[in-house]
Amino acid sequence: MTNRPLRNRAGQTLEEFLAAYRPKDYPHPSVTVDLLVFSLEKEQPELLMIRRGNHPDLGCWALPGGFVEPNEYTEDAAARELQEETHVEGLSLTELGLFSGPDRDPRGWTMSNAYLAVANRSQLRVQADDDAADSGWFAVEARLEEGELHLTLTGQEETLTAAVQVEERMGALGCEVHVGSFHTDGIAFDHSKMIAMAILKLRRAGKLPE
């Protein structure tokens, strides 16, 4: 019995299919990572942020992060970008979720995989570098009212605010939290959605009070 190569409906073998395949025929996004590093040493949680040194959202405060390089896992990109922008390294990173709004970045279709870490601020030596013009810790206050999580971030003699729609839905693994539309003052991109999701997950894990 001879082993015949598998052919698709067009009669192509795998080698023929790949030879004819043109990736540019299909739209594809850029992929980035963003890092949420929380310190829980004080009564109020603190979040590490960087001030953007380039367009878009030049001068706004954002989460550390950047583009994933070819042949790089997102978790490796997250650790690399955190080190490049803040000089923080060696943290245990937990995947928070994928943020894929088609209009989340004015540079084009960009999806971001967010990662969460909890560390002691006093043990980290933070130094802004690379695309970050500055870095700082912001105390985070979160208040849930009528389906919106209201965020107030205070630090660096500045106060940043946001309101993010929150919805609980039943999924295959039970009740899941989803974040939706938002408005913000001073927080870049859709990073307020990431912050809201992180706060809600830390509360569910018992790391933060309700």
Side-chain angles (χ1 to χ4, degrees):
M1 182 176 180
T2 59
N3 292 324
R4 296 180 179 179
L6 294 175
R7 296 181 179 273
N8 62 12
R9 292 181 179 180
Q12 297 169 310
T13 64
L14 173 62
E15 290 75 16
E16 292 168 340
F17 171 79
L18 292 177
Y21 184 79
R22 294 185 299 179
K24 292 185 178 180
D25 288 347
Y26 304 90
H28 53 276
S30 297
V31 181
T32 64
V33 289
D34 288 294
L35 287 301
L36 296 101
V37 179
F38 281 89
S39 174
L40 306 182
E41 287 180 300
K42 298 181 180 179
E43 182 177 350
Q44 211 169 9
E46 294 176 293
L47 176 65
L48 177 61
M49 302 188 75
I50 59 101
R51 189 190 294 276
R52 287 189 54 78
N54 198 1
H55 296 294
D57 289 339
L58 176 63
C60 289
W61 287 93
L63 299 170
F67 287 89
V68 179
E69 296 179 354
N71 303 317
E72 185 179 37
Y73 289 99
T74 56
E75 55 265 34
D76 294 332
R80 174 181 56 77
E81 284 290 345
L82 184 62
Q83 194 281 329
E84 289 177 357
E85 291 198 336
T86 68
H87 287 241
V88 172
E89 55 188 349
L91 298 184
S92 177
L93 303 177
T94 298
E95 190 171 3
L96 180 67
L98 181 69
F99 292 79
S100 58
D103 58 350
R104 61 176 304 274
D105 191 322
R107 291 170 292 188
W109 185 20
T110 305
M111 296 184 180
S112 183
N113 208 20
Y115 286 83
L116 171 67
V118 175
N120 292 327
R121 172 181 174 177
S122 60
Q123 297 178 2
L124 301 180
R125 295 183 178 180
V126 178
Q127 179 184 342
D129 206 343
D130 197 31
D131 292 334
D134 195 5
S135 62
W137 291 93
F138 283 77
V140 181
E141 179 184 343
R143 186 180 74 259
L144 186 60
E145 288 183 357
E146 299 180 349
E148 278 193 336
L149 191 67
H150 296 264
L151 299 170
T152 302
L153 281 63
T154 306
Q156 299 288 315
E157 299 182 351
E158 294 185 63
T159 299
L160 317 175
T161 61
V164 182
Q165 286 188 345
V166 175
E167 180 184 357
E168 290 188 346
R169 306 175 190 169
M170 288 304 298
L173 300 178
C175 187
E176 300 173 350
V177 175
H178 292 257
V179 291
S181 61
F182 67 98
H183 56 86
T184 183
D185 182 12
I187 302 176
F189 303 110
D190 60 351
H191 290 183
S192 56
K193 291 177 65 174
M194 299 179 187
I195 298 169
M197 178 65 78
I199 289 290
L200 294 170
K201 290 205 171 188
L202 287 170
R203 285 179 175 179
R204 286 197 165 192
K207 301 292 185 180
L208 292 176
E210 293 290 339

